Amino acid sequence: MGLDRTIVIGGEAGQGIQTVGQLLAAACHGAGFEVLAVNDFESRIRGGHSSISLRVADRPVAAPCRRIDLLVALDARSEAVHRPDLAEGGMVLADSAAGLDESRALSFSFDQMARDAGGKILANTVAAGACLGLLGAPEDHCRKIVRQQFEAKGDEVVTRNLAAFAAGYAATREERFKGRIQAGWDLAPRRRLMEGNLSVALGAVAADCRVGAFYPMSPATGIMAHLASLSGRYPLVVEQAEDEIAAANMVVGASFAGVRAMTATSGGGFCLMTEALGVAAITETPIVVVNAMRPGPATGLPTRTAQADLNFVIHAGQDEFPRFVFAPANPAQAFETMIRAFDLSERFQVPAIVLVDQFFNDSLFTVADFPKPPEVVRYVIGDADMVDPAAYRRFAVTADGVSPRALPCRGKALVVAASDDHREDGHLSETIEDRRKMVAKRFAKLPDMEAAMRPPEVLHPDADLLLVTWGSSRGAVREAVESLRGEGRSVGAVHFCDLWPLPAVHVAELLGSRPFVTVEQNFSGQLGRLLRAQTGLAPGGSITRTDGRPFFAEEIVAGIEKNEMT
Amino acid sequence: MVTVEDYRSDFENEWCPGCGNFGILEAMKAALVDLGLEPHQVLIVSGIGQAAKTPHFLKCNAFHGLHGRALPVATGAKLANHALTVLVNAGDGDCYGEGGNHFMAAIRRNLDITLIVHDNRIYGLTKGQASPTSDLGMPTRIQPEGTVSEGFNPLAAALALGAGFVARGFSGDKAQLAMLIAAGVRHKGFALIDVLQPCVSFNHIHTHGWYKQRVFDLAAEGHDAGDWNAAMAHGRQWGDRIPLGIFYQEQKPTFIDRIGMLQKGPLIDQAAVAFEL
Ligand SMILES: Cc1ncc(C[n+]2csc(CCOP(=O)(O)OP(=O)(O)O)c2C)c(N)n1
Ligand code: SF4
Ligand SMILES: [Mg+2]
């Protein structure tokens, strides 16, 4: 085992914990380490307890680790909350204002140093300096990172933060801090640091998304904020709608009029969008909806993570209609999935839903550069492609259920779409014949849609037990699998990104008669139930977590061991 | 030259004989002809209700969406392609009830569309329940003792929200209504035309004759459409004398004018930009 350290910084909301996290992440990443920074915060602006967990390793890490090597406590509560997870030999560094005695923590006054450097708000930068000092990061390198981090805020802010950093850094040179946590900074960043949110927004612009409409809701807001910041560089407008119903209907309107469009929300907002999902379905208007999951029901835990909306999004809306559902594991897959979601939604003229979650959205991952996105194909026709534009029928019945799609006011062909069921020309009809025709037409798309689904990804397919998961839990599951294999257990991992229509043939082939358990962040093991319903293959159990925090590999390992699943 | 005949649709009309909707439909066709627009140059967005079926009864591009949700669809369509001429046909329940939040937001955005509300002061399609514009105390099957909410005043609300074009028409005066619709389309920005529309099946109070006795033309009485206070006073006038015409008109930057990215032209026509990380 090489280097793998977890640093947790805890304090109150408003103390700038995130800034410390970003500084540390940038410094470690800048020195060539793989970094994963996971934000844990409450739904409030001030007070309470929030923390950031930074995992720094010399190999890719995709899940947080429970064991804390260095805990930096800006207040007493942080020490109490996180002490149980302190690793053997772990170190606690605290602001002396926390009043912890020497047996509990090494303390000095962050606050005093901050004031000396120019103001008490700099305490977070003092803490970052102390962390980097303890990690043995070269001072010049750190100064460079501090400068980059605050550059945009002007010289004075940079100068103060450099002073605060230097004070914290120097404090850790004292004798009592000996036995620092690690050395060996090679200073060659290999990949880039990216928030999950950003990868979703980047995927959207790479797919030529031109309209984004949304209503703020954690943990989805970051996606739209990133998208808004990309508007200007790309032909793209982001509009804050009056509610999620409006957001989804705006996306439908924009797509109907001819540009690619998306919205992002969380479960509660998705509830409000379900009727619009149906209107997209019956009018065969492509739309992409990102649901960033958090625990529910209702407001649930607004700033925490979950994977509990799988059932919901597969079935959301009255009656039934074809749709796509994806759940990418990491930023690279999210980028690619957004591009595929836009493409497949437009190719089949159905809604596409992308499930991410708070852990994924708000964490910083170390990612490789994304591949060049494929050429965008628009599946639309114009007058020139028609024999007689006057005879155009938007919902013409075809063998594969997909009707050639023209756009309104782009030629002589009239485009008529209705949320009532309709004739081939889009006008209302309640005849038995038309209804049967339209239902059959919409569902005729399913075989090709299913064929477009990618099979789940498998690690160690020949293992005796497979841990089956979806979405962002992939990282923790893979780590658990490697750990269990290290103990001599024959386990493998299966990850679903493409969830619906379920690629049932591949699944049956893969799982066959092999025992499997699902690992997912919901109560009932929703993927397990889905697999059983679609393939008849029943999981041997499920390892679940519903408390709003992401999985640790360690607890998955424990779950397998406890239940003697191998 | 486009004629009314070009707008004739052979799709079977579903309204009750004698319904005020017919007058609105004819006025729309006359206005579109007057504007020199051909059917393929027009996009009509509607919600759900009797009013919202309008786009099926003439030739045009149409998106007949969800109950209450026409305005957000129109907003999205405009964002995508602001060269579109968009008209919205909505019912009073559709627009002021189910879609009330969108009504407020569309006015605040100054979305450049023409909203025609078929205000029959009743839920027609669902067979006669009270709508937001039903009079306080009007008995219905659901409210046998009469409704218990005050009627919603769309003109006063639109004026209070800062709408730049506020008008009222009457389905029984097609010539004036056609003029109002054409003026609404010509107006750059949000245009509301609330149309007094008798529902022969379910509203036995506000009949054609009832309106006929009461309506008068604001313009003929020298109303200044630039005077917001006068517009508000007329907006609150109801009873023996009911004003028709343009209550208020003010040109101001539209939704599209306020979005920098759209000054380069409609999004749909802008060149794609190659992705770079
Ligand atoms: C979400 C939803 N709720 C309720 C309905 C049922 N519904 C259809 S039309 C309508 C009201 C119609 O009244 P109005 O909007 O005034 O139109 P009108 O028929 O009077 O022209 C209602 C409640 C629906 N279609 N969708
Ligand atoms: S129910 Fe009323 S509004 Fe609807 S078509 Fe009949 S008369 Fe017209
Ligand atoms: Mg009505």
Side-chain angles (χ1 to χ4, degrees), chain B residues 15 19-26 28 44-47 49-55 57-58 87-96 114-124 131 133 154 169 171 177 181 192-199 211:
Chain B
W15 291 324
C19 172
N21 279 329
F22 290 101
I24 301 176
L25 177 64
E26 291 315 310
M28 280 179 69
I44 299 184
V45 180
S46 66
Q50 296 285 53
K53 291 180 183 172
T54 305
F57 307 145
L58 76 168
L87 287 86
V88 172
N89 288 103
D92 43 335
D94 197 18
C95 185
Y96 305 141
T114 308
L115 169 64
I116 302 167
V117 182
H118 303 218
D119 192 353
N120 53 6
R121 312 182 136 234
I122 201 83
Y123 282 8
S131 93
T133 50
S171 61
L177 182 55
I181 295 171
L192 167 67
I193 303 160
D194 184 79
V195 185
L196 305 176
Q197 177 226 335
C199 165
Y211 283 127

Side-chain angles (χ1 to χ4, degrees), chain A residues 210 239 410 415 417 419 427, chain B residues 56 64-65 109 267 269-270:
Chain A
R210 296 192 175 203
E239 174 66 1
R410 303 296 281 178
V415 184
S419 74
H427 287 297
Chain B
H56 293 283
H64 177 196
R109 286 191 177 98
L267 274 181
D269 293 325
Q270 291 191 25

Side-chain angles (χ1 to χ4, degrees), chain A residues 275-353:
Chain A
E275 198 187 16
L277 203 63
V279 91
I282 201 164
T283 62
E284 304 189 46
T285 307
I287 61 166
V288 174
V289 181
V290 178
N291 177 358
M293 295 176 288
R294 71 191 215 188
T299 311
L301 297 176
T303 59
R304 313 289 175 177
T305 201
Q307 297 184 295
D309 292 351
L310 177 59
N311 273 345
F312 176 43
V313 303
I314 286 177
H315 303 292
Q318 64 270 45
D319 207 315
E320 304 165 78
F321 50 86
R323 70 190 78 189
F324 288 108
V325 178
F326 305 95
N330 50 45
Q333 197 168 50
F335 177 75
E336 195 196 9
T337 299
M338 287 302 288
I339 296 170
R340 290 180 61 221
F342 274 102
D343 178 72
L344 291 170
S345 168
E346 195 162 33
R347 181 173 147 209
F348 290 99
Q349 303 173 15
V350 298
I353 299 157

Side-chain angles (χ1 to χ4, degrees), chain A residues 191-521:
Chain A
R191 311 200 292 167
R192 70 173 74 218
L193 268 183
M194 188 181 290
E195 202 181 81
N197 274 321
L198 177 59
S199 66
V200 175
L202 290 172
V205 294
D208 199 20
C209 172
R210 296 192 175 203
V211 168
F214 86 112
Y215 187 83
M217 186 169 188
S218 298
T221 309
I223 295 171
M224 299 311 283
H226 282 300
L227 206 59
S229 71
L230 291 161
S231 165
R233 246 170 73 199
Y234 298 93
L236 163 71
V237 173
V238 174
E239 174 66 1
Q240 181 174 327
E242 54 274 26
D243 54 35
E244 287 86 349
I245 298 174
N249 280 282
M250 282 180 192
V251 169
V252 169
S255 175
F256 175 73
V259 305
R260 289 184 167 187
M262 71 167 283
T263 184
T265 185
S266 189
F270 196 92
C271 290
L272 295 180
M273 292 181 180
T274 51
E275 198 187 16
L277 203 63
V279 91
I282 201 164
T283 62
E284 304 189 46
T285 307
I287 61 166
V288 174
V289 181
V290 178
N291 177 358
M293 295 176 288
R294 71 191 215 188
T299 311
L301 297 176
T303 59
R304 313 289 175 177
T305 201
Q307 297 184 295
D309 292 351
L310 177 59
N311 273 345
F312 176 43
V313 303
I314 286 177
H315 303 292
Q318 64 270 45
D319 207 315
E320 304 165 78
F321 50 86
R323 70 190 78 189
F324 288 108
V325 178
F326 305 95
N330 50 45
Q333 197 168 50
F335 177 75
E336 195 196 9
T337 299
M338 287 302 288
I339 296 170
R340 290 180 61 221
F342 274 102
D343 178 72
L344 291 170
S345 168
E346 195 162 33
R347 181 173 147 209
F348 290 99
Q349 303 173 15
V350 298
I353 299 157
V354 178
L355 289 171
V356 288
D357 56 57
Q358 184 271 331
F359 158 63
F360 170 82
N361 271 21
D362 293 338
S363 295
L364 276 175
F365 297 84
T366 310
V367 301
D369 278 352
F370 297 147
K372 191 174 170 306
E375 200 70 39
V376 171
V377 182
R378 298 298 310 272
Y379 304 86
V380 293
I381 61 162
D383 283 1
D385 306 304
M386 305 176 204
V387 183
D388 176 13
Y392 175 70
R393 289 165 309 142
R394 171 66 187 87
F395 302 96
V397 169
T398 59
D400 60 7
V402 178
S403 315
R405 176 173 169 237
L407 303 175
C409 306
R410 303 296 281 178
K412 297 260 179 192
L414 294 182
V415 184
V416 177
S419 74
D420 285 74
D421 221 338
H422 40 255
R423 315 189 301 202
E424 291 185 55
D425 63 4
H427 287 297
L428 313 182
S429 172
E430 299 188 10
T431 67
I432 291 171
E433 189 198 353
D434 283 328
R435 171 65 184 177
R436 288 187 175 169
K437 200 157 60 173
M438 285 299 137
V439 171
K441 166 200 178 344
R442 289 191 287 271
F443 283 100
K445 300 172 185 178
L446 269 178
D448 290 346
M449 286 173 64
E450 192 176 323
M453 293 287 87
R454 293 186 181 165
E457 169 206 42
V458 203
L459 181 71
H460 309 303
D462 298 325
D464 296 339
L465 175 73
L466 295 172
L467 307 194
V468 181
T469 193
W470 56 283
S472 73
S473 294
R474 175 182 178 270
V477 168
R478 292 200 144 212
E479 195 179 323
V481 162
E482 291 313 337
S483 163
L484 286 160
R485 291 180 74 87
E487 295 169 15
R489 291 172 187 254
S490 175
V491 293
V494 176
H495 176 262
F496 281 86
C497 171
D498 293 18
L499 283 159
W500 196 260
L502 191 82
V505 183
H506 296 300
V507 176
E509 215 168 83
L510 181 77
L511 296 177
S513 56
R514 211 182 308 267
F516 68 97
V517 296
T518 67
V519 182
E520 39 187 328
Q521 296 201 303

